[in-house]
Amino acid sequence: MSVEIDIILLKLPNHNIDYPSLSIPTLTRALRNDGITVIQQDVNVELKDILLTQRCLEEITYEFLPAICEYFISDPEEYTRVKNMVIYLNNIDTTIGFGALESVKSQLLERKYKQIFTSTESSNNTLILFTIASLLHNVIDLAITLDELNAPIAQDNVVIRFMKDKIKSIAAINSRIVSFSVLDIQRKATLWFAKRLRKVYQGTIVVGGPDVSIFRDNFIRHYPFINVAFLKESEVSLVKFVQGVPVDTIDGVIYRDIDGTVRINEPKHEPSNSVYRPDFDGFPLDKFLLPTLPISASRGCKWAICKFCVHHQTYTSYYERTASAVVDDIEYFVQKYHTRYFHFTDDMLDITIGTAIARELIQRGLDINILTYARFQNGFTPEILDLWARGGIKVIEWGLESASPRMLKEMAKGISIEKVQTILKDSREKGILNKLMLFHNYPSETIDDFEQTVDFLEKNIEERNVRPFFTIRNKLELRLNSELDHLSQQANQTIFPKRWNTSSIFQSKIEYEDTPDYPVKLHKLEAFLGRMQHLVSSRRVFSTNDENLTLDLVVLDVSAQEDKMCIQSI
Ligand code: SF4
C-alpha cells in the first residue's frame, strides 16, 4: 500500500556539495515530529554527483560549453567567460583525465582519506575536483538561463535533461505540497523548476528560506505559480500550514486571499517552539564529498550590530540552546551517521555557550572535529581556548574584516586589534587552526588602513598563527537593508562617492562608486597575493573556500595520524 506524502522538501542548485545544509533536514524533523509524511531531496547534490562523472564532464566540455560559446559569439564578455571554462576543462581532461577525477570522487565518497592525502596525485585531483564542482555552478546557471530564454542550444543538455526528469518524478509522487528552501544562489534554479512543475502538478507550491525573508512578497506578486511564501523560521508555520490551519491565521506567511490580494502576516516566532536536531533520514548523505554534518547551538547573532552585516536578519531574534542538548545531538549523529566531523553553522558561536559545549564534550569523551565561526570576544583567555581545543574545536573562522583599529570602530565590530593578536597566538598554541575573514574597501578605508590589514594577515600567516586564507580579496558588498545601506541613503550622507538604487526585484547587492584611490589598493592586493602564492606552494597548503569549507577538518585529522601528508592546512 503506497503512503500518501504530505510534503516534499526540495533544495535546488546551486550550493556546495562538501556537506549538507541544515535547512531541509531541520524542517523535516519538525514535520515528522507532528506525524506529517515528508520526502526531502537535495536536487543540487544529486545533479552534481551526476555531472562529476567522466561521461558528463565530456559532454559539458566538448558539446555543451562550445555550443554556448557559439551562441555568445557577438557578446565578447560572455564568450570569453565561457571559452575560459572550456579551456580550463579541456586542459584538465588532457593532463589528468576526467576518468581520474571520477576515481578520486569515488575515493572521497568511500571516505578513503588517508589513501587520498598521502598520494600527491590523489590530493591534487581532489582539489581540482572541488574547483570543478565550483565551476559547475556556472554551467548549471548557463543551462537554466538559456533554457528560460528558449535558446535552441539549451534544449538538450545534461543539466536540463536531469532537471526535467526530476520535475516529472516529483509530480508523479503527487504530494499535497512541494516546498523549496531558497538562498540567493538557488533562486534562479528554484523559480525555473517551480514554474515548470506547476504545469504538471496540481498541488500547492511554497517557498521559504533566507532569500524569501529578504524579498518577501516579490515571490508571490511576481510568480503566480507560487502559492505561499514563509518568512524567517518556518518550523511552526509550515507545520500548521501542512496540518490545514487556515493560512490567514498563521504568522510568518505571505499569500493571496480569495480576491487575489497579497497578504502578509508578519512572523512572531517563539524560540521555545524551535526544532534543532536535523533529520537526515532519506537525505543522500553518501553523495556529499565529505562526511561533515552541520549543527547549530544558536540562531541569529548575539552581537548583531556590525554595520555591513545582514546575516542575523535571517531569524526573528537571537536565541540559543543548552550545551547538553547540543552535545546530545552530536552524540546521536556520531552513532547514527558514523561521522566525527561537524560544522557549527551559527553566525558566531558565542563564548559562553561554546565553552559550555566544549566542557560537555570533554566530559562525555567524544573524539570529534569541529569547525565554527566566532567573534573575537574579550573573554577568550588561554584557559578558555584550551577548553575549546580539547572539546574538539579544531578550526575557527574568526570574523575580523579589517585589522585597522579605525575601521573596526567604524564597522562597530567591538574588538581591539591588540586583543585579536593575543587570541590568535593563544588559540594557535592550543592547537586550533585560525582563519581570518576579511574584506577591503569599507567606506573611508584609506590606503594606510588597507595596508595595516595586509601586514597583519601576512605577519600572522608567516608566523603560522593563521591559515593562509585570502578573503581579503573580497570587496565590501553593500547589502540591502544593512545599517550601512540605510545610513548611505540618508540625506547629506557622503559614505560612498555615489550609490545606485536597486534596479531589479531581487537585487540584494547595491552598487556603489569606489574612491579614486581604489586602483592603488588593488595593486597592493595583487602584490600581496603574489607573495603569498610562493609561501603557499612552498608549504603545500591547499586552497580553501566555500566549496571545501570543512576539508581542513579532515586533513588535520588525517595528518594527526600520518606524517606523509601531501597537502597541509597551514
Ligand atoms: S558580522 Fe558576525 S558578529 Fe557582526 S553582526 Fe554579522 S554575524 Fe554578528
Side-chain angles (χ1 to χ4, degrees):
M1 191 179 72
S2 65
V3 177
E4 187 186 330
I5 301 300
D6 293 312
I7 183 166
I8 301 175
L9 303 179
L10 296 178
K11 189 169 184 60
L12 272 286
N14 272 308
H15 206 265
N16 53 306
I17 55 166
D18 56 339
Y19 70 102
S21 71
L22 269 179
S23 56
I24 286 186
T26 307
L27 279 176
T28 295
R29 163 68 64 164
L31 292 158
R32 285 180 179 160
N33 280 353
D34 274 78
I36 293 164
T37 49
V38 186
I39 290 177
Q40 51 176 342
Q41 292 193 7
D42 189 321
V43 179
N44 174 62
V45 79
E46 287 179 31
L47 172 57
K48 288 190 183 144
D49 183 54
I50 289 171
L51 297 184
L52 287 172
T53 55
Q54 180 173 357
R55 181 180 58 79
C56 289
L57 288 172
E58 284 172 356
E59 180 183 330
I60 289 166
T61 307
Y62 302 116
E63 295 173 34
F64 178 58
L65 289 178
I68 291 185
C69 272
E70 276 186 36
Y71 178 82
F72 283 129
I73 200 84
S74 54
D75 180 341
E77 199 176 317
E78 276 300 286
Y79 176 86
T80 306
R81 187 171 76 93
V82 180
K83 185 78 188 168
N84 285 341
M85 284 194 254
V86 175
I87 292 169
Y88 175 77
L89 288 168
N90 201 332
N91 184 40
I92 294 295
D93 193 26
T94 311
T95 53
I96 294 163
F98 291 144
L101 291 184
E102 189 173 344
S103 297
V104 86
K105 185 187 86 173
S106 300
Q107 283 184 299
L108 283 165
L109 297 181
E110 289 162 19
R111 315 304 183 203
K112 293 181 174 168
Y113 303 118
K114 188 171 168 188
Q115 200 174 315
I116 294 170
F117 297 122
T118 52
S119 151
T120 304
E121 188 183 336
S122 298
S123 297
N124 290 342
N125 289 355
T126 296
L127 300 178
I128 290 166
L129 188 76
F130 278 112
T131 304
I132 293 182
S134 175
L135 183 147
L136 289 178
H137 293 213
N138 296 322
V139 171
I140 294 168
D141 219 56
L142 279 166
I144 286 172
T145 304
L146 293 176
D147 187 76
E148 186 66 35
L149 293 171
N150 285 322
I153 155 69
Q155 297 305 307
D156 183 29
N157 62 70
V158 59
V159 174
I160 298 301
R161 282 197 302 275
F162 171 87
M163 295 285 266
K164 286 186 173 170
D165 284 349
K166 180 55 78 177
I167 289 169
K168 275 190 215 153
S169 71
I170 295 296
I173 295 170
N174 201 24
S175 61
R176 287 197 290 120
I177 301 166
V178 173
S179 171
F180 297 88
S181 170
V182 196
L183 293 168
D184 54 357
I185 50 174
Q186 297 166 317
R187 186 193 313 129
K188 183 179 282 185
T190 300
L191 292 173
W192 180 95
F193 193 98
K195 181 177 169 185
R196 283 150 187 81
L197 179 66
R198 177 80 294 162
K199 292 180 183 156
V200 291
Y201 167 70
Q202 312 305 319
T204 303
I205 295 179
V206 306
V207 292
D211 202 49
V212 179
S213 293
I214 293 171
F215 294 108
R216 297 166 53 96
D217 48 318
N218 282 345
F219 279 89
I220 299 295
R221 290 188 197 282
H222 297 275
Y223 299 97
F225 46 85
I226 297 173
N227 299 103
V228 179
F230 288 79
L231 299 170
K232 308 262 177 176
E233 301 92 322
S234 52
E235 296 134 340
V236 176
S237 49
L238 185 61
V239 167
K240 284 186 181 172
F241 184 75
V242 180
Q243 286 172 334
V245 173
V247 69
D248 57 334
T249 67
I250 302 175
D251 293 330
V253 292
I254 306 179
Y255 61 100
R256 292 177 204 88
D257 69 12
I258 200 155
D259 302 324
T261 306
V262 174
R263 304 279 178 198
I264 303 177
N265 294 352
E266 292 298 338
K268 291 182 203 133
H269 188 72
E270 173 47 57
S272 61
N273 290 332
S274 291
V275 174
Y276 296 93
R277 180 184 289 177
D279 182 342
F280 293 103
D281 285 3
F283 213 64
L285 290 181
D286 57 343
K287 293 195 188 318
F288 290 91
L289 297 178
L290 300 174
T292 312
L293 288 181
I295 191 162
S296 69
S298 63
R299 285 175 171 174
C301 170
K302 202 168 185 176
W303 182 250
I305 58 172
C306 300
K307 288 184 189 166
F308 57 87
C309 179
V310 291
H311 280 300
H312 51 89
Q313 296 174 11
T314 304
Y315 299 105
T316 43
S317 60
Y318 176 79
Y319 48 95
E320 60 189 34
R321 316 169 64 191
T322 64
S324 67
V326 175
V327 179
D328 283 350
D329 284 3
I330 291 175
E331 211 164 8
Y332 175 82
F333 290 143
V334 168
Q335 283 168 12
K336 177 149 191 172
Y337 300 113
H338 311 291
T339 186
R340 296 170 48 249
Y341 305 98
F342 293 92
H343 176 206
F344 275 86
T345 59
D346 309 57
D347 282 352
M348 54 160 278
L349 185 63
D350 180 66
I351 188 168
T352 308
I353 180 69
T355 305
I357 290 169
R359 282 206 171 93
E360 188 78 22
L361 287 166
I362 294 166
Q363 199 194 332
R364 297 198 203 180
L366 286 169
D367 174 22
I368 57 164
N369 305 273
I370 294 171
L371 177 147
T372 188
Y373 306 116
R375 197 171 77 82
F376 287 102
Q377 292 175 274
N378 283 329
F380 277 110
T381 60
E383 294 73 30
I384 294 289
L385 290 162
D386 184 53
L387 275 174
W388 280 44
R390 286 193 290 122
I393 296 173
K394 300 283 166 52
V395 183
I396 301 181
E397 288 205 3
W398 301 95
L400 177 59
E401 333 307 353
S402 168
S404 154
R406 195 177 68 80
M407 285 296 98
L408 292 173
K409 198 166 170 206
E410 285 284 322
M411 295 175 188
K413 288 297 296 181
I415 54 183
S416 87
I417 199 65
E418 292 78 19
K419 181 67 186 171
V420 167
Q421 185 61 79
T422 305
I423 291 173
L424 288 174
K425 282 192 172 153
D426 292 342
S427 171
R428 182 64 198 146
E429 270 168 27
K430 301 301 175 191
I432 294 171
L433 183 80
N434 297 306
K435 293 168 77 179
L436 292 180
M437 288 191 283
L438 299 160
F439 61 81
H440 67 274
N441 217 35
Y442 193 80
S444 88
E445 181 190 66
T446 61
I447 301 293
D448 184 51
D449 293 316
F450 176 72
E451 283 184 322
Q452 286 179 50
T453 306
V454 168
D455 292 347
F456 184 87
L457 179 59
E458 187 160 4
K459 171 178 172 290
N460 278 287
I461 287 175
E462 279 172 358
E463 293 175 2
R464 297 182 196 254
N465 293 323
V466 306
R467 184 205 200 288
F469 180 53
F470 303 114
T471 50
I472 192 174
R473 281 193 185 100
N474 299 336
K475 184 178 166 186
L476 167 81
E477 290 183 347
L478 178 56
R479 287 282 171 180
L480 185 71
N481 288 332
S482 61
E483 189 183 345
L484 196 56
D485 170 30
H486 295 149
L487 287 171
S488 65
Q489 286 186 64
Q490 289 170 11
N492 304 324
Q493 277 296 349
T494 52
I495 288 178
F496 298 99
K498 183 175 176 184
R499 57 155 282 163
W500 285 267
N501 288 327
T502 51
S503 56
S504 80
I505 58 166
F506 285 128
Q507 189 179 340
S508 62
K509 283 188 221 163
I510 297 165
E511 301 292 323
Y512 61 88
E513 191 173 282
D514 300 321
T515 48
D517 61 2
Y518 187 61
V520 181
K521 285 183 198 168
L522 282 187
H523 181 72
K524 289 181 180 292
L525 179 61
E526 286 307 316
F528 164 68
L529 293 174
R531 295 195 295 277
M532 288 296 100
Q533 184 58 44
H534 177 70
L535 176 142
V536 161
S537 45
S538 67
R539 288 189 193 170
R540 290 183 296 166
V541 170
F542 68 92
S543 171
T544 182
N545 53 34
D546 283 351
E547 208 64 41
N548 64 6
L549 183 69
T550 62
L551 184 57
D552 275 322
L553 289 180
V554 178
V555 169
L556 288 171
D557 194 32
V558 177
S559 60
Q561 309 141 32
E562 179 57 62
D563 51 15
K564 294 197 191 108
M565 292 292 285
C566 294
I567 55 173
Q568 300 293 339
S569 286
I570 192 160

